[in-house]
């Protein structure tokens, strides 16, 4: 399969096939083999409108070595309180081989280079959390809790070009993060009215160290901050089918560990990807008015992101581009969405969502200042159908209109459809499912944008089409109350 897909890419690059073949992801017991569909990009960095002087095309194959994963969770409940401790350790070694072909403006082959990289990642996450719930009567409820987390990430990056180690790009990176959080929430219910107010406090400390193979001196950086995150809500139940609510919340989103890693990935000699160890969390303030009528929910909201971070493509040198993640300014979003969910018959359940948004990106970083605005819409639907023999069929699809990207780029319309067949036995203990995502292979990225002298056009396919067979079986009986804890740090892997 891998050979067939790779050959099709080479034939496509040289114009002998109208399109490349698609690839799947195969998961084995001790390894994961994935075929990455190449992205073809054209860039030019000049003040005139002439065509680019060099065109780069690349074919990449990525092989992930055995993943060492260790998770230990202990939890208990006692009266109105619960406590849990979590240890998560992840180690992976991924080798990426990439062959780049370079052409002149008239599509004449010039040369080819072979690039090889080995990013070794070792991430440990420790978490200790405890929650308390007090309900003195039917009208009052008090929630409180505390959480402490420690994250340690050690990374080593080896980069080779045409078989030789590139010491300018090979290095090691260490990242440490400590978080201490506490929250309190009070809810008061009187007849059909419910009022709630809460406050979360967080102290965060980060430290990172970069060691290069070409220098004895290490680059270090540390940050710390203390922040408050309040939330308020009020809801009124008109009757059994009608409810109205007003909500406000302030929260923060922290960058992924990979985005903090300053390793320089050479996609080809014209394109680079590099992490940013100076990234700060982005803070959002959101207010929403919600109305529920039977099976229909309507939501009108406004959201503002400060210290907004996103992946950005920028000019690097005279004729190169670099992709990195930066805090680039603020993003404002005004939106309205409608959510409908209903069981139409005894064997058919339908869920649908329609959303309309208006994005305003105000970029203000380094010496660049500019505003980008654009409306967009989103549609999705999911059908769950009960077939004979107790088999459940789920067909879901989604569509994104032309929309403003994270910064200055504009994304063209895209969409996809998934199909899932599943069946359960023994009172739900045994479950088998067969899932295929992006059935028609239509989920691709396709964007364009202009920033000063940079004219960007990017398109291609990711690992959207997959076939997954899943089997699960639950042993024994559940004797203790389940303690469900969401460890935010795990979502940043």
């Amino acid at each position: 399969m891998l050979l067939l897909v790779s050959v099709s890419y080479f034939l496509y690059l040289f114009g002998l096939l109208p399109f490349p073949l698609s690839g799947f992801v195969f998961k084995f017991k001790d390894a994961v083999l994935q075929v990455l569909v190449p992205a073809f990009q054209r860039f030019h960095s000049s003040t005139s409108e002439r065509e680019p002087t060099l065109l780069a095309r690349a074919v990449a194959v990525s092989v992930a070595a055995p993943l060492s994963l260790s998770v230990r969770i202990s939890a208990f409940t006692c009266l109105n309180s619960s406590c849990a401790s979590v240890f998560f350790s992840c180690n992976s070694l991924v080798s990426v081989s990439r062959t780049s072909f370079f052409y002149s403006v008239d599509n004449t082959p010039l040369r080819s280079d072979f690039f090889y990289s080995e990013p070794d990642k070792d991430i440990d996450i420790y978490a200790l959390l405890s929650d308390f719930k007090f309900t003195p009567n039917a009208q009052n409820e008090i929630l409180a809790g505390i959480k402490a987390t420690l994250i340690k990430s050690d990374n080593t990056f080896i980069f080779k070009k045409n078989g030789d180690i590139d010491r300018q790009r090979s290095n090691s990176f260490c990242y440490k993060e400590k978080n201490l959080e506490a929250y309190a929430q009070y809810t008061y219910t009187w007849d059909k009215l419910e009022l709630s107010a809460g406050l979360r406090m967080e102290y965060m400390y980060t430290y990172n160290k970069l060691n290069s193979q070409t220098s004895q001196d290490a680059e270090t950086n540390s940050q710390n901050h203390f922040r408050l995150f309040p939330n308020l809500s009020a809801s009124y139940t008109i009757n059994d089918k009608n409810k109205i609510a007003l909500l406000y919340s302030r929260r923060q989103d922290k960058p992924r560990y990979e985005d903090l890693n300053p390793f320089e990935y050479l996609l080809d000699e014209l394109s680079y990807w590099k992490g940013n160890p100076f990234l700060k969390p982005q803070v959002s303030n959101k207010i929403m008015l919600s109305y529920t009528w039977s099976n229909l929910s309507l939501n009108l909201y406004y959201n503002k992101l400060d210290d907004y971070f996103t992946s950005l493509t920028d000019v690097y040198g005279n004729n190169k581009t670099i992709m990195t993640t930066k805090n680039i300014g603020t993003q404002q979003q005004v939106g309205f969405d409608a959510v409908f969910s209903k069981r139409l018959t005894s064997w058919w359940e339908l869920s649908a969502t329609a959303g309309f948004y208006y994005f305003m990106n105000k970029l203000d970083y380094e010496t660049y200042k500019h505003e980008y605005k654009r409306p967009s819409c989103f549609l999705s639907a999911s059908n769950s159908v009960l077939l004979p023999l107790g088999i459940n069929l789920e067909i879901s699809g989604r569509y994104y209109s032309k929309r403003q990207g994270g910064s200055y780029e504009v994304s063209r319309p895209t969409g996809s459809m998934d199909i899932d067949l599943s069946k359960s036995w023994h009172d739900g203990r045994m479950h088998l499912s067969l899932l295929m995502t992006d059935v028609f292979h239509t989920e691709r990225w396709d964007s364009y944008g202009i920033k000063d002298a940079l004219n960007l056009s990017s398109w291609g396919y990711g690992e959207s089409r997959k076939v997954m067979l899943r089997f699960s079986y639950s042993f024994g009986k559940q004797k203790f109350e389940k303690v469900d804890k969401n460890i935010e740090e795990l979502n940043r892997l």
Side-chain angles (χ1 to χ4, degrees), residues 193-210:
L193 179 66
E194 182 177 283
L195 303 174
S196 182
L199 180 65
R200 186 172 66 87
M201 301 168 286
E202 177 179 317
Y203 172 77
M204 177 181 177
Y205 171 80
T206 62
Y207 171 83
N208 56 65
K209 180 179 180 181
L210 176 66

Side-chain angles (χ1 to χ4, degrees), residues 72-131:
R72 292 199 302 270
I73 301 177
S74 59
F76 67 87
T77 60
C78 180
L79 296 179
N80 294 317
S81 64
S82 65
C83 184
S85 63
V86 178
F87 166 69
F88 178 90
S89 179
C90 175
N91 178 268
S92 65
L93 178 63
V94 181
S95 63
V96 180
S97 302
R98 178 181 294 269
T99 302
S100 297
F101 304 89
F102 299 91
Y103 303 82
S104 62
V105 291
D106 59 358
N107 217 30
T108 301
L110 298 178
R111 71 179 191 277
S112 65
D113 288 322
F114 177 75
F115 303 104
Y116 176 83
S117 61
E118 277 188 8
D120 184 11
K121 304 175 185 178
D122 189 356
I123 301 176
D124 295 332
I125 299 176
Y126 304 85
L128 178 64
L129 52 159
S130 179
D131 298 279

Side-chain angles (χ1 to χ4, degrees), residues 115-160:
F115 303 104
Y116 176 83
S117 61
E118 277 188 8
D120 184 11
K121 304 175 185 178
D122 189 356
I123 301 176
D124 295 332
I125 299 176
Y126 304 85
L128 178 64
L129 52 159
S130 179
D131 298 279
F132 175 78
K133 179 180 179 180
F134 178 61
T135 308
N137 50 53
Q139 293 181 319
N140 297 272
E141 181 182 80
I142 299 174
L143 301 175
I146 189 171
K147 182 176 81 169
T149 57
L150 171 64
I151 299 99
K152 296 192 298 181
S153 175
D154 293 310
N155 308 265
T156 303
F157 184 70
I158 303 298
F159 185 88
K160 295 181 180 180

Side-chain angles (χ1 to χ4, degrees), residues 7-19:
V7 170
S8 74
Y9 288 144
F10 282 100
L11 294 177
Y12 173 76
L13 292 175
F14 288 100
L16 300 179
L17 274 182
F19 53 84

Side-chain angles (χ1 to χ4, degrees), residues 346-450:
S346 60
W347 51 268
W348 180 20
E349 184 175 356
L350 171 67
S351 298
T353 301
F356 304 90
Y357 317 98
Y358 188 76
F359 281 94
M360 294 164 283
N361 293 340
K362 187 176 181 180
L363 276 62
D364 186 0
Y365 68 99
E366 298 170 358
T367 60
Y368 186 76
K369 293 185 179 181
H370 203 282
E371 289 189 15
Y372 298 89
K373 305 176 181 179
R374 185 173 296 274
S376 62
C377 70
F378 166 73
L379 303 173
S380 70
S382 176
N383 293 270
S384 181
V385 179
L386 182 61
L387 301 178
L389 303 178
I391 298 175
N392 187 72
L393 169 65
E394 184 170 337
I395 303 175
S396 60
R398 62 207 61 85
Y399 168 78
Y400 301 89
S401 71
K402 187 176 181 179
R403 59 206 181 277
Q404 188 66 46
S407 55
Y408 60 85
E409 79 281 1
V410 177
S411 298
R412 292 185 173 90
T414 186
S416 63
M417 189 181 80
D418 305 335
I419 296 180
D420 183 25
L421 286 169
S422 63
K423 181 176 173 59
S424 298
W425 296 270
H426 302 297
D427 297 327
R429 289 177 176 271
M430 186 166 64
H431 185 78
L432 180 67
S433 68
L434 177 63
L435 170 66
M436 184 174 185
T437 61
D438 194 10
V439 176
F440 300 106
H441 209 192
T442 54
E443 188 173 320
R444 57 175 285 168
W445 72 83
D446 192 349
S447 63
Y448 65 91
I450 298 176

Side-chain angles (χ1 to χ4, degrees), residues 167-170 212-216:
R167 299 190 179 278
Q168 294 289 338
R169 297 187 177 94
S170 300
S212 173
Q213 290 196 7
T214 59
S215 174
Q216 298 294 329

